[in-house]
Amino acid sequence: MTFKPHITVAALVRRKDRYLIVEEIYDGRKVYNQPAGHVEAGETVVEACAREALEESCWRVRPSHLIGVYVYKAPNGVTYYRFGLAAEALEETGHTLDEDIVAVHWLTLKEMQALHNRGELRSPLVLKLIEDDLAGQAYPLNLIHEGSNG
């Protein structure tokens, strides 16, 4: 069996005490997540983060720093390498939401913890990203070297 890791990004967007969260249908059930998704061919992690936020939430964002890189083996056997980036909300656009997105919310930490306790988060990484941000984890984006010349 060939190992094919999935490289993903997640945008942690916070305004005051609320986080930008998408409600989506995944594997036939409603779950909550940061705007997140796969890095596409030819794009950087930072570009993927901004694109996913726009597609999933209609918000144009500016990634500011790396919170962490997370490895998660999902129940379906897929291993995800997730780059969690903090991002600033710039503006809400009229962009059409991805078809799997049900709604966009601005939720508090307490609301996120309640969703976690009810098993309604897409993965444990959703709350972990928030906790790491609150703990002060912040690394410059240039830590992610994506140059083509080594």
Side-chain angles (χ1 to χ4, degrees), residues 33-54:
N33 196 6
Q34 285 101 8
H38 289 83
V39 176
E40 294 180 357
E43 78 182 341
T44 68
V45 166
V46 172
E47 291 166 346
C49 179
R51 177 188 50 77
E52 286 291 348
L54 181 62

Side-chain angles (χ1 to χ4, degrees), residues 60-105:
R60 190 173 320 281
V61 304
R62 179 185 308 121
S64 58
H65 62 271
L66 175 69
I67 298 167
V69 179
Y70 306 86
V71 180
Y72 175 65
K73 187 168 183 180
N76 64 4
V78 174
T79 299
Y80 294 90
Y81 289 78
R82 187 182 210 228
F83 289 78
L85 286 79
E88 174 190 2
L90 300 176
E91 66 176 332
E92 190 172 12
T93 70
H95 192 276
T96 302
L97 292 173
D98 277 357
E99 63 184 36
D100 292 339
I101 304 299
V102 175
V104 177
H105 306 282

Side-chain angles (χ1 to χ4, degrees), residues 19-31:
Y19 297 91
L20 180 62
I21 300 296
V22 296
E23 182 180 341
E24 61 186 340
I25 302 299
Y26 176 73
D27 203 22
R29 67 185 193 102
K30 182 175 64 172
V31 293

Side-chain angles (χ1 to χ4, degrees), residues 107-118:
L107 302 178
T108 65
L109 174 61
K110 186 175 182 177
E111 290 168 323
M112 294 301 297
Q113 290 167 328
L115 291 170
H116 172 74
N117 292 339
R118 292 194 305 264

